[in-house]
Amino acid sequence: MLAVEKHVPEKWVILYIKRWLGAPVLTKSGELITKQGKGTPQGGVISPLLANLFLHYGFDKWLEQTDQTVTFTRYADDVIVHCRSK
């Protein structure tokens, strides 16, 4: 949420994101499962945006500081790291 709050000045957007994160998940069988633990439910509406923010700060910035010789390509919440060996 720190990254969201850094990039999103509108308070109502932050409120909706918090509500999405806290919302229960409806399974195919009709069962309503309340959130357990941290994170966002897989397949959630906001998941790709939050994954993109996390990867920007948690992966992109970390890799830039750790080893600038490693090249990588990111497509939203997917990453391709170009390696010479395993």
Side-chain angles (χ1 to χ4, degrees):
M1 286 307 298
L2 291 175
V4 171
E5 290 168 2
K6 178 178 178 178
H7 293 280
V8 179
E10 294 85 3
K11 299 295 182 201
W12 67 270
V13 174
I14 294 170
L15 176 66
Y16 272 93
I17 292 172
K18 287 179 181 178
R19 286 181 180 173
W20 272 323
L21 290 174
V25 176
L26 184 64
T27 64
K28 289 183 180 180
S29 65
E31 181 184 2
L32 205 59
I33 301 174
T34 57
K35 183 180 173 186
Q36 299 173 356
K38 296 181 179 181
T40 177
Q42 186 173 2
V45 176
I46 200 69
S47 297
L49 174 85
L50 296 178
N52 196 26
L53 272 175
F54 174 79
L55 287 171
H56 174 70
Y57 289 107
F59 182 76
D60 300 356
K61 296 295 182 189
W62 171 79
L63 198 54
E64 288 172 8
Q65 294 171 359
T66 305
D67 188 351
Q68 292 186 351
T69 64
V70 177
T71 57
F72 64 96
T73 306
R74 248 194 347 97
Y75 302 97
D77 59 346
D78 292 324
V79 180
I80 299 171
V81 180
H82 307 280
C83 303
R84 293 189 188 115
S85 66
K86 286 186 181 182

